[in-house]
Amino acid sequence: MKLSAPLKKWLVPLLLIWVAGMSLYQAYTQTLTSDEAIHTASAYLGMTRGEYRFDPEHPFLFKDLTGLPFLLYKTNLPRDDQQLWEEARPLFFDSWRQSRQWATDWVYESGNNPKVMQVLMRIPGILVLVTLNWFVFWLARKWYGEKVGLWALFFTAFNATLLGHGFMTNTDVPLALTYLLSIWRLGEYGQAPTRKNAVWAGVAIAAALLTKFSAIAIIPAAGIWLLIIAFQKRLRWYTVLVDTGIVLGIFVAFCWVLYFFKSPIFIRPNDVVGAQDAVLSLYGKHINAQAIINIVPHILPSTYLKGLIMVLQGGENGRPVFLLAHTYGSGVWFYFPILVLLKTQLVALALGGISLGFAFTNLFKRQKWDTLTWLWVICGGVFLALAVKSKLNLGIRHISPLMPIFSIILAVVMVRISGLYRKPYVLVLIIVAYVLPILTQRNSLLGFGNILTAPSEDRYHFFVDSNLDWGQSWERIANVVKREFPNQPLYVVYSTSEMSYFAPTNKQLDINHAGSGDPGAILIAATDLNNDFTHYQQYKPAFIVDNAYFIYRSDKLVPR
């Protein structure tokens, strides 16, 4: 199917406008998820006070962008600002509670306008998502031609995970952009291993490592790639060492700049023993704890290292995870493969299977993969391997960097299919099958699921957490409650600042509340419906919001 020149000219801007428009729509209509305000609040405080105490689990390169609007848009600070700030002072202390309380109070309880703040802090994410889409088109066209570039943009623009999370303040989709930038610069270095390309590779890798800690996958991937290039190009060991030093040096320099050249080790007199215990738990039992405390500030900013260690610990220790109607005590290796099967359009999965068929066919024919193919396999494979190995399974968003790679693979397959089957209706059917699920679920793409998760109201049997219910629907919930339960209490599993803002009359839900006959509404999120409140699954909800939040009539529980 050939495209006319005018259509080619307008296709790219139209797809980018779609991405921007859909993102703005979601940014306005979906309330802040559980983690978003924390990211922006921690960045805003860091930039205004010159020190990052809150939310060290995520580096601050992208988070600072979400905080920039608030250097111009003045807001009131929480009443407990200084108390929470000082409580988070010791380095060897998990300040998650203080971070969350400060952030939610800032948005919802300090006299600010939550809707304005919500949109402002999400604008950088929208810009990053649009940039990612454009860059996928540009890179695919540069390496594989215009047709592949256009198809790659199409598959990226309608990717459910990228669209459903890209407008947020979270760092997953920004990592997808910086990880892809790193792949591009590694590819350029592979074609011409010069000092200039080594510098640009260092800049891209530094950007990835300062966006999200899971970008650490690029380090072993880059190492493997460098060895391949050194062997192919017969590089001297001196060149390999110097170029490696350039990349690492750029990262270290950028890291110190981002963290204000500060590496605080705050230890109060009565915290010394606790700090040593924390070091031992982080680094191991066979090291000198005091030596680590003395050395750490001089390697990398201690706050950056603290966040990295917390993430690595979380990946190693894991946490309970729900998947396919079963709760596991810790992460499971098949978590991400299952989510890909359930949260990707079926036509994309079919095309992915065809791409594997093409790859194996080439192997059987003993056709060698080109260098760029090896680059994709290495960078994508290492990231996937580390994700599968991790026991911290929180959502498909954590493998967002694989989505642009998948889009380019699908694009290559589509170009090959269009060359083999010159029937336009085949391509039209593929396009419709890919786009239609996105359009029908446009109001809640965060909880996107393909036909395998039907019926949609039972989707909570397949996955929860940031895959389905992440606090994005509070405003729509409040509208239902105000309309259907006027002047009646709303019983919730736990009351938050967000819920108190949208539904001030909420009350704590007792686990044995079912059948009490009290008037009002009972709200249970999908995650809770699979945990302590499973007995509510036997009742038919009066209303379902975004397939993730179930509202029951307290005085009239109807059995299913």
Side-chain angles (χ1 to χ4, degrees):
M1 183 173 67
K2 292 184 178 181
L3 298 176
S4 63
L7 182 57
K8 286 183 181 179
K9 179 181 178 180
W10 288 103
L11 189 57
V12 172
L14 284 175
L15 287 172
L16 295 180
I17 290 171
W18 149 258
V19 172
M22 189 62 197
S23 298
L24 283 169
Y25 168 75
Q26 294 181 97
Y28 183 81
T29 58
Q30 295 197 30
T31 48
L32 293 171
T33 58
S34 300
D35 296 344
E36 286 185 272
I38 300 171
H39 297 328
T40 300
S42 64
Y44 170 73
L45 285 174
M47 289 187 292
T48 55
R49 298 178 182 178
E51 176 192 322
Y52 298 117
R53 291 190 189 178
F54 288 163
D55 193 34
E57 299 95 321
H58 301 268
F60 285 83
L61 182 60
F62 171 73
K63 290 198 302 182
D64 278 354
L65 296 180
T66 71
L68 283 178
F70 298 95
L71 299 181
L72 298 176
Y73 179 77
K74 300 301 180 183
T75 58
N76 303 318
L77 300 185
R79 181 179 60 255
D80 298 331
D81 166 39
Q82 286 302 316
Q83 176 185 340
L84 295 172
W85 181 252
E86 285 304 313
E87 287 179 2
R89 182 177 175 85
L91 178 71
F92 299 103
F93 173 73
D94 187 351
S95 59
W96 173 251
R97 184 189 67 80
Q98 288 76 10
S99 305
R100 182 175 181 80
Q101 183 177 337
W102 197 102
T104 54
D105 288 356
W106 181 43
V107 176
Y108 296 104
E109 297 184 1
S110 301
N112 299 313
N113 188 325
K115 179 69 75 172
V116 172
M117 296 182 71
Q118 166 185 313
V119 175
L120 283 177
M121 65 178 64
R122 284 172 165 175
I123 287 176
I126 296 172
L127 294 176
V128 166
L129 180 60
V130 173
T131 303
L132 171 63
N133 276 265
W134 175 84
F135 185 66
V136 167
F137 163 72
W138 182 86
L139 182 60
R141 183 182 63 176
K142 175 182 174 64
W143 282 357
Y144 299 107
E146 184 179 42
K147 289 183 179 179
V148 175
L150 290 172
W151 278 112
L153 173 58
F154 165 75
F155 285 119
T156 306
F158 289 92
N159 180 283
T161 299
L162 297 178
L163 268 182
H165 291 271
F167 67 94
M168 298 179 182
T169 70
N170 300 306
T171 55
D172 306 288
V173 175
L175 175 60
L177 173 59
T178 54
Y179 200 81
L180 190 61
L181 285 170
S182 301
I183 294 174
W184 168 48
R185 293 316 312 181
L186 288 173
E188 295 298 301
Y189 179 85
Q191 293 177 6
T194 62
R195 293 284 183 271
K196 178 181 177 181
N197 282 332
V199 169
W200 281 114
V203 171
I205 290 172
L209 292 171
L210 294 174
T211 297
K212 192 175 180 70
F213 286 118
S214 54
I216 197 171
I218 200 64
I219 298 298
I224 296 170
W225 176 247
L226 180 58
L227 291 176
I228 291 175
I229 296 304
F231 177 78
Q232 286 185 343
K233 304 286 186 178
R234 300 184 184 277
L235 300 180
R236 296 180 301 167
W237 66 268
Y238 172 80
T239 300
V240 173
L241 290 178
V242 170
D243 289 352
T244 301
I246 288 173
V247 172
L248 295 177
I250 289 174
F251 161 65
V252 171
F254 280 22
C255 191
W256 280 103
V257 170
L258 182 64
Y259 283 78
F260 310 111
F261 295 98
K262 291 183 179 180
S263 188
I265 296 286
F266 293 127
I267 302 177
R268 298 168 182 149
N270 59 343
D271 289 334
V272 173
V273 175
Q276 292 177 343
D277 290 342
V279 171
L280 290 172
S281 68
L282 294 176
Y283 293 93
K285 301 297 183 182
H286 305 291
I287 52 89
N288 186 320
Q290 191 58 50
I292 291 293
I293 293 174
N294 294 335
I295 293 172
V296 158
H298 307 290
I299 303 173
L300 283 173
S302 53
T303 306
Y304 181 86
L305 288 173
K306 174 184 179 179
L308 175 61
I309 293 164
M310 292 176 71
V311 169
L312 293 177
Q313 268 196 315
E316 185 64 28
N317 298 332
R319 52 174 281 185
V321 58
F322 178 88
L323 186 67
L324 298 179
H326 185 77
T327 299
Y328 299 89
S330 186
V332 289
W333 69 267
F334 49 83
Y335 179 80
F336 289 111
I338 293 295
L339 284 183
V340 169
L341 289 176
L342 299 178
K343 293 179 71 67
T344 304
Q345 296 96 312
L346 290 183
V347 66
L349 295 176
L351 292 173
I354 293 173
S355 71
L356 289 177
F358 286 154
F360 284 120
T361 299
N362 290 340
L363 287 177
F364 288 138
K365 292 180 178 179
R366 297 185 179 181
Q367 295 179 357
K368 292 183 178 180
W369 285 353
D370 59 25
T371 307
L372 288 179
T373 301
W374 279 111
L375 177 61
W376 292 118
V377 170
I378 292 168
C379 293
V382 170
F383 192 95
L384 179 61
L386 292 181
V388 168
K389 181 179 179 296
S390 173
K391 297 179 181 179
L392 192 63
N393 299 156
L394 298 179
I396 194 172
R397 61 190 176 89
H398 280 181
I399 58 170
S400 292
L402 298 179
M403 302 302 172
I405 299 175
F406 186 50
S407 294
I408 294 175
I409 292 173
L410 296 183
V412 172
V413 172
M414 282 302 300
V415 170
R416 188 164 181 179
I417 288 177
S418 62
L420 295 175
Y421 304 99
R422 300 184 180 276
K423 302 292 185 181
Y425 69 85
V426 175
L427 301 183
V428 171
L429 287 175
I430 291 174
I431 291 172
V432 171
Y434 191 73
V435 171
L436 192 59
I438 297 295
L439 298 180
T440 56
Q441 300 183 51
R442 63 189 179 279
N443 288 327
S444 186
L445 288 175
L446 182 149
F448 178 88
N450 60 33
I451 198 172
L452 297 178
T453 63
S456 56
E457 60 267 22
D458 289 340
R459 197 164 287 163
Y460 70 93
H461 290 307
F462 296 89
F463 45 72
V464 291
D465 210 318
S466 65
N467 297 305
L468 185 60
D469 58 322
W470 204 13
Q472 76 277 14
S473 305
W474 291 123
E475 188 171 9
R476 286 197 280 268
I477 292 168
N479 291 337
V480 172
V481 172
K482 291 174 184 177
R483 183 181 69 247
E484 302 293 336
F485 302 87
N487 303 317
Q488 295 184 35
L490 172 65
Y491 296 94
V492 296
V493 174
Y494 50 85
S495 181
T496 63
S497 297
E498 302 99 310
M499 198 65 251
S500 296
Y501 176 81
F502 290 108
T505 59
N506 69 78
K507 295 183 178 181
Q508 193 75 27
L509 176 65
D510 185 87
I511 196 169
N512 298 315
H513 186 91
S516 66
D518 299 329
I522 298 173
L523 173 65
I524 303 179
T527 298
D528 298 308
L529 204 58
N530 285 311
N531 289 330
D532 296 332
F533 292 83
T534 55
H535 54 287
Y536 275 90
Q537 294 184 20
Q538 65 184 300
Y539 302 112
K540 183 178 180 180
F543 302 95
I544 301 175
V545 180
D546 296 337
N547 301 316
Y549 297 91
F550 300 82
I551 301 175
Y552 303 83
R553 295 189 181 277
S554 179
D555 57 351
K556 190 178 180 182
L557 291 172
V558 180
R560 285 183 180 272

